[in-house]
Amino acid sequence: MAREFVLDPFRAEVNLQIDYARELNAQQHAAVTATPGPALVIAGAGSGKTRTLTYRVAFLLEQGVPADRILLLTFTNKSAREMMRRVVEILGHDLASLWGGTFHSIGNRILRQHADRLGFRRDFTILDRDDAKDLLQAALDDSGIDVTATRLPKPDVIGDVFSMAANTGHTIARTLQENHPQFEDLALIMEDLRTRFIARKRAANVMDFDDLLGLWLRLLKEHEDIRDIYQRRFQFILVDEYQDTNELQGELIDLLAARHRNVMVVGDDAQSIYSWRGANFQNILEFPKRYAGARVYKIETNYRSTPEILDVANAAIATNTLQFTKELVSACKSGPKPVLAVCGDASEQAAFIAQRALQLRDEGINLNDMAVLYRSHFHAMELQFELTRRNIPFSITSGLRFFEQAHIKDVAAFLKFAANPADEISFKRMVRLLPGVGGKGADKLWNLFRTHHSQLPEGAPNPLASALQSCNPSVAKKTTVAWAQFSSTIAQIEGPTVRGKAAEMIRITLEGLYEDYLQETFANASQRLEEIIQLTHFS
C-alpha cells in the first residue's frame, strides 16, 4: 500500500549576532522581530522610531533576506543614510545593495532604468523649483493667454496648484476650489496650461520633482512587466513617517507591496502636520483596513521628555476623535511641571516671556539654552519688539525676522512713502509690484514722479497722487490699469483723515491692490495676509 508523506518545512537555525532583547525595550523588540506580513508601528514622539527601523533592517538581514530585496523609504536622504550607517555599525559590513532613500530618489533610480517606456530618454534632467518656474513661464508665454485680462496668478502659484493636484490625485478644479477659491473660474485655462507644460517637459527631456513620483506611479500602473519586476524584487518594504505620506506615495507603497505584502509602516497619527503640502493622514488611519490581517504595534516609551511634559501631551491628544489610542510613558527622571500662563493680550504675553527669560538668566541658565516656540511667524512680532526693547539678544531660526519679510516690507513701503515722498527705495518697491514694471521702468517712473511732484504748488491737495497721475502718459500699456489703481490707493492713504493712522493705511493698501497681488504671487498668500492683518492690530 502506497504511503503519503508530508514534508515539514525545514529552516536552518539562525545564529543572530545581535541580542535584540537586550538592545531594545519590549515594544520595540516586538516590532523589530515581527513575522512577515503587513504591520503598522505606531511610534509615539521620542520613542526610538529610528532605532526600531534600524534594528528591523538588521533583523531582516540576519534572517537571510538579501539586502537588495529590502526597500527602505524615508522623507529625507539624510534619514536613509543615517539608518544604513547604523545598520553597518551594528552588523559590521557594507549595505551598498540595499535600496534606501526618499520616495523621490527611489523614483528617480527606477525611472532612470525605464524612462523610455514613458516617452523620455534615460538621461533626463531634473528641474529644480526655479527651472520649473521658468519652463512654466515659457509655456505660458506661448499659450497666448492674456494674463492681465484673465487675472492669471504668477507661475509660482500656478506651479503650486499643479503640484498639489499631482500629490493629492485631485483635478485642477478641485484643487482650486479647496486651496485657491479666488481662481476657481480659471480651472479650464490652467488645465490647458498644464497640458502645455507637460508637453514641454517631455520635449525637453526634463522632469520636475512631482514627476519623479507621478511618472513612477504611471510606469507601474501602465506596464505590468515592470510592475512585476519590482513587486518580486522588494520582498520587504519599510516606510518611515508614514503619517506624512500623500495619496501618490500611499498608492506607490500599495502597488509595490501587492505581491509579498511584507510592508511595515512606521509613524504617529498624532504627528501629522503636512496636510498643507498634500499629506493624507487617512493613509495611516486606514492601513489596517487596506491590509487585512495587519498587526498593529505600539511603541509608547518616550526617551525625550519628562513625565510632567508627557502628562500634558497625553491629555492634549486624548480628545482626538480619529486616532490610535496610546499613552506615552517617560523613561526620564521627573522634572518641573509645565506652566500655563494666562495673559491678557499679545503684548502682555511678550512681556511675560521676556521677563521670565531674564529671571532664568539670573538663575544661571544661559540664554542660548532657551527657546520660544510659536504657531505662526506673526505671533513673534510683539516678542521681537519686547526682546529688542530689553536688550535681550535673540535669533530667528524659522526664517526672517518679522519686519524683514517681503510682504511686510511691501506694505511698509506704502506707509513710508506717504510720510516721506523723497523715499526713492519705497517708491521703487511699490511700483515694481505692478505688472510690466521692472528695474529700469522703476527708475524712469521715479524720475518722472520727482519732477512732477517738485512742480506742484505748495498746499496742493493730494500731491502724491497728483504727481503719479501726471506720469500716466509715460506708463506702459500693460501697466495702465494697475497704475490707476495704485494712484487711487495713494490718494486715499495720503488723505488728511487717514494719514498717520497706520492700521487704516494698511487696510486701504490691502483693499486697493496688495491683497490681489498676494493671491496672484504667493502660494502661501493666506498666511502672509494673516501676518499683515496682525500688523494692523499692532499699529
Side-chain angles (χ1 to χ4, degrees):
M1 181 177 176
R3 297 179 60 187
E4 291 185 359
F5 288 88
V6 177
L7 292 177
D8 295 324
F10 172 78
R11 182 180 177 188
E13 182 180 355
V14 177
N15 295 314
L16 300 177
Q17 300 178 35
I18 302 168
D19 185 345
Y20 292 93
R22 186 186 68 183
E23 297 293 333
L24 305 164
N25 67 37
Q27 291 180 322
Q28 292 171 336
H29 183 264
V32 165
T33 59
T35 54
L40 168 61
V41 180
I42 301 296
S47 63
K49 170 177 63 66
T50 300
R51 185 177 185 83
T52 301
L53 273 174
T54 299
Y55 275 87
R56 176 62 175 175
V57 173
F59 181 77
L60 292 175
L61 293 169
E62 286 210 281
Q63 295 296 313
V65 179
D68 65 349
R69 297 304 178 94
I70 299 173
L71 173 63
L72 173 62
L73 291 166
T74 67
F75 271 81
T76 67
N77 283 313
K78 180 180 178 182
S79 296
R81 287 194 298 269
E82 176 64 16
M83 288 185 200
M84 289 191 281
R85 182 189 65 79
R86 291 190 190 184
V87 176
V88 169
E89 287 181 354
I90 293 169
L91 295 179
H93 57 77
D94 186 44
L95 288 177
S97 61
L98 189 148
W99 285 61
T102 65
F103 282 87
H104 292 86
S105 67
I106 298 298
N108 176 50
R109 183 173 174 180
I110 290 175
L111 287 169
R112 291 290 174 193
Q113 299 299 315
H114 312 287
D116 54 311
R117 302 287 285 272
L118 297 173
F120 289 83
R121 299 195 308 275
R122 297 183 184 183
D123 61 349
F124 64 85
T125 53
I126 300 173
L127 300 173
D128 62 20
R129 187 176 178 84
D130 287 339
D131 291 338
K133 183 179 72 173
D134 290 343
L135 191 63
L136 180 54
Q137 181 66 61
L140 180 58
D141 291 341
D142 285 350
S143 69
I145 298 171
D146 188 334
V147 175
T148 304
T150 58
R151 302 298 296 272
L152 198 69
K154 299 285 180 66
D156 273 336
V157 177
I158 298 172
D160 184 70
V161 172
F162 292 173
S163 180
M164 182 62 76
N167 284 289
T168 57
H170 295 165
T171 62
I172 293 294
R174 180 175 172 181
T175 302
L176 290 174
Q177 183 182 41
E178 295 181 355
N179 299 279
H180 303 274
Q182 69 277 17
F183 300 128
E184 271 190 86
D185 59 330
L186 300 176
L188 291 178
I189 292 175
M190 287 203 191
E191 283 283 11
D192 175 68
L193 185 57
R194 181 167 68 165
T195 300
R196 294 172 181 273
F197 182 46
I198 291 171
R200 273 187 170 267
K201 287 189 289 185
R202 184 176 288 108
N205 196 42
V206 297
M207 298 182 189
D208 59 28
F209 284 107
D210 293 323
D211 292 327
L212 297 179
L213 300 184
L215 292 177
W216 176 18
L217 180 60
R218 182 182 151 199
L219 181 73
L220 297 180
K221 281 184 169 182
E222 295 181 0
H223 299 278
E224 184 180 354
D225 58 327
I226 295 175
R227 181 172 68 248
D228 187 61
I229 288 172
Y230 292 101
Q231 286 180 342
R232 290 179 181 276
R233 172 183 287 277
F234 299 131
Q235 293 180 2
F236 287 86
I237 300 173
L238 296 90
V239 186
D240 190 18
E241 304 290 5
Y242 188 65
Q243 77 280 353
D244 291 328
T245 55
N246 59 36
E247 200 74 22
L248 264 177
Q249 292 161 334
E251 197 169 353
L252 280 166
I253 295 164
D254 292 346
L255 268 177
L256 292 170
R259 177 178 292 273
H260 298 292
R261 297 184 79 248
N262 294 325
V263 56
M264 175 177 282
V265 299
V266 182
D268 182 5
D269 52 296
Q271 296 186 64
S272 180
I273 59 174
Y274 289 111
S275 60
W276 56 273
R277 70 180 187 193
N280 181 11
F281 83 108
Q282 291 293 336
N283 283 350
I284 193 168
L285 291 179
E286 296 179 356
F287 184 86
K289 295 179 182 177
R290 295 204 317 280
Y291 288 87
R295 293 179 300 281
V296 178
Y297 298 90
K298 295 180 182 179
I299 304 178
E300 299 165 300
T301 302
N302 177 289
Y303 296 92
R304 185 184 300 159
S305 304
T306 63
E308 290 77 8
I309 290 174
L310 290 186
D311 286 344
V312 174
N314 285 327
I317 66 174
T319 57
N320 289 356
T321 55
L322 299 174
Q323 66 163 312
F324 290 97
T325 56
K326 54 189 168 296
E327 188 78 14
L328 296 178
V329 178
S330 178
C332 302
K333 294 180 180 178
S334 182
K337 285 187 175 182
V339 173
L340 172 62
V342 180
C343 302
D345 54 32
S347 296
E348 189 175 293
Q349 176 180 261
F352 170 79
I353 293 172
Q355 178 179 305
R356 185 62 182 141
L358 292 176
Q359 289 173 346
L360 291 171
R361 184 195 61 182
D362 293 342
E363 293 171 11
I365 299 176
N366 195 301
L367 289 174
N368 284 326
D369 294 328
M370 302 179 201
V372 179
L373 307 179
Y374 45 83
R375 183 179 65 83
S376 294
H377 205 37
F378 69 78
H379 289 145
M381 181 173 59
E382 291 88 349
L383 180 61
Q384 291 182 38
F385 273 118
E386 190 65 26
L387 294 175
T388 302
R389 190 174 69 83
R390 299 188 186 218
N391 294 319
I392 301 175
F394 66 94
S395 62
I396 301 293
T397 60
S398 57
L400 297 171
R401 296 192 177 197
F402 187 83
F403 285 99
E404 294 174 352
Q405 298 177 101
H407 53 293
I408 301 299
K409 294 179 74 171
D410 287 344
V411 171
F414 284 81
L415 277 63
K416 290 160 72 176
F417 178 67
N420 175 21
D423 188 343
E424 178 182 357
I425 300 300
S426 292
F427 177 91
K428 290 181 177 179
R429 187 177 192 95
M430 290 186 300
V431 299
R432 290 187 70 174
L433 299 175
L434 308 179
V437 180
K440 291 183 178 179
D443 287 337
K444 177 184 175 183
L445 290 168
W446 166 249
N447 291 326
L448 284 169
F449 166 80
R450 189 171 54 175
T451 298
H452 291 305
H453 187 261
S454 66
Q455 294 173 351
L456 290 172
E458 189 173 348
N462 293 335
L464 301 182
S466 297
L468 291 173
Q469 290 165 0
S470 297
C471 299
N472 286 349
S474 301
V475 173
K477 185 177 180 180
K478 66 166 62 175
T479 313
T480 303
V481 174
W483 186 264
Q485 186 61 53
F486 170 55
S487 301
S488 175
T489 301
I490 293 297
Q492 292 180 66
I493 66 175
E494 71 170 330
T497 61
V498 174
R499 189 174 180 182
K501 299 178 181 178
E504 183 65 10
M505 295 170 75
I506 293 171
R507 183 190 64 78
I508 291 171
T509 300
L510 282 171
E511 292 179 356
L513 57 86
Y514 196 70
E515 185 171 355
D516 286 344
Y517 173 82
L518 281 177
Q519 301 287 3
E520 295 168 6
T521 307
F522 299 110
N524 62 341
S526 58
Q527 177 185 329
R528 293 174 185 254
L529 179 60
E530 189 178 8
E531 292 181 351
I532 294 171
I533 291 173
Q534 182 66 21
L535 183 61
T536 67
H537 298 328
F538 184 81
S539 301

